[in-house]
Amino acid sequence: KCFAGKQRMEVVSRLSPNEEESLLRQQRDQRRKARLLQVREQEKTFAQKMRAGVRNQQENERKLLENCLQEHLQACHTSELGKLEDRYLARANCVGQAHKDAQLVEEERDKMEELRIVLASKQRIEAEDRYAVAIKEEISKRREEEESKEKTRAAVTQALNDQKRRYKEMSGKLTEPTLIMDLAV
């Protein structure tokens, strides 16, 4: 086909076998190139789909792993919180028990203090009674000693008086002339 000017002219000519072969080769090459381009395009599309599939699969696996890890961490966290809560409650119980024990100790100490005061009071009363008895005994002992001393004094005084009286009696008899005196002269 040839174009000359504004008119369209058709020129039909027969091709030589080399031209025909060349034209067929070009067409084959064009078809082969088109087919290669099509195959390449299909392979490219297939590779993109594969990459997208792998990416999606990796993303799904990542999400699944993330969910699994999240659940595991949540379970661990819940378990750890439960353990910590149990430990807290046990320690709070211990503190409460310590307070109760301290209160009991305080009550026991108050009772012991009251008992000590009562015992001290009883001991003081008993000591005062013993002191009163001891004082009475000491007073009676002193009285007895005084009485004994008084009796001894009275006896000594009586003996002295008796002796004085005898001496006076004897001295009065000696003033009378006696036989012994006569002999001495």
Side-chain angles (χ1 to χ4, degrees):
K1 292 182 184 181
C2 235
F3 295 101
K6 291 187 177 180
Q7 290 183 340
R8 191 172 172 192
M9 285 177 92
E10 277 190 39
V11 177
V12 178
S13 64
R14 204 158 195 243
L15 299 173
S16 71
N18 285 340
E19 287 176 337
E20 198 174 302
E21 191 178 314
S22 172
L23 188 61
L24 284 175
R25 196 178 308 135
Q26 282 177 355
Q27 285 177 353
R28 251 185 298 154
D29 285 344
Q30 283 177 356
R31 280 195 309 264
R32 193 168 43 100
K33 285 180 184 179
R35 179 73 182 142
L36 281 175
L37 287 175
Q38 183 185 9
V39 168
R40 283 183 185 165
E41 195 62 36
Q42 285 176 346
E43 286 179 357
K44 186 177 177 182
T45 305
F46 180 73
Q48 284 177 345
K49 285 180 182 179
M50 286 294 286
R51 282 193 297 269
V54 168
R55 263 196 310 271
N56 286 340
Q57 185 179 1
Q58 287 176 344
E59 183 67 22
N60 290 338
E61 288 176 0
R62 185 189 62 78
K63 285 181 181 179
L64 183 64
L65 182 61
E66 182 180 321
N67 289 339
C68 184
L69 283 174
Q70 187 70 24
E71 289 172 3
H72 179 70
L73 286 175
Q74 185 67 29
C76 287
H77 182 70
T78 304
S79 171
E80 189 65 28
L81 277 178
K83 289 177 185 176
L84 288 174
E85 185 176 350
D86 291 344
R87 284 174 50 194
Y88 172 78
L89 291 175
R91 289 193 177 158
N93 251 354
C94 287
V95 168
Q97 187 62 40
H99 285 299
K100 288 176 187 174
D101 291 346
Q103 189 175 12
L104 288 175
V105 166
E106 184 72 26
E107 289 172 3
E108 287 294 320
R109 191 174 65 207
D110 291 344
K111 287 178 183 176
M112 291 299 288
E113 183 66 24
E114 288 174 14
L115 184 60
R116 188 185 64 77
I117 290 170
V118 167
L119 284 176
S121 174
K122 283 182 181 179
Q123 289 174 349
R124 190 183 78 246
I125 291 170
E126 289 173 359
E128 288 174 356
D129 290 344
R130 285 193 307 269
Y131 178 72
V133 169
I135 291 292
K136 287 178 184 177
E137 288 176 359
E138 185 65 29
I139 290 172
S140 67
K141 185 178 174 185
R142 285 188 183 175
R143 281 186 187 157
E144 289 173 4
E145 286 177 2
E146 284 294 321
E147 288 174 2
S148 174
K149 285 181 184 179
E150 191 61 39
K151 285 181 183 178
T152 305
R153 278 190 212 127
V156 169
T157 306
Q158 182 66 37
L160 282 175
N161 288 336
D162 286 345
Q163 209 173 23
K164 282 181 188 179
R165 187 181 46 82
R166 275 191 235 133
Y167 177 72
K168 283 184 185 177
E169 285 177 6
M170 291 285 266
S171 66
K173 288 183 183 178
L174 283 181
T175 55
E176 297 175 2
T178 63
L179 188 56
I180 299 179
M181 283 179 100
D182 289 336
L183 290 174
V185 196

